[in-house]
Amino acid sequence: MSEKKIIQPKGNPHKPNNEIDKKIDPIVIYWEEFALIMQEYFQALDRYRQDPNNPVKNQIF
């Protein structure tokens, strides 16, 4: 029987080789979530100012 050799890719195995393997940056996610929260807050505030007697619900339309 012949032995099979396992070929390791060149380079550091801990570094990503392509875009899919990159780690997610938690700081970027934090600021994206913060921006979404601010957007929802100001949308709700605008809807409240347009009609204060009608409560703001979780539905956009």
Side-chain angles (χ1 to χ4, degrees):
M1 282 202 269
S2 64
E3 294 182 24
K4 292 184 178 179
K5 292 184 179 180
I6 298 174
I7 300 172
Q8 296 289 336
K10 292 182 180 179
N12 188 347
H14 299 291
K15 288 188 178 180
N17 292 331
N18 57 27
E19 292 293 323
I20 297 171
D21 293 337
K22 288 186 179 179
K23 290 185 178 180
I24 297 172
D25 189 3
I27 296 172
V28 173
I29 293 174
Y30 172 84
W31 286 111
E32 287 177 355
E33 291 294 325
F34 180 78
L36 288 172
I37 291 167
M38 290 291 103
Q39 180 182 5
E40 290 175 1
Y41 171 78
F42 284 109
Q43 284 177 348
L45 183 63
D46 287 341
R47 291 176 62 195
Y48 173 76
R49 288 181 178 165
Q50 289 173 1
D51 189 6
N53 297 327
N54 188 10
V56 178
K57 300 175 183 171
N58 284 338
Q59 297 175 350
I60 296 175
F61 298 104

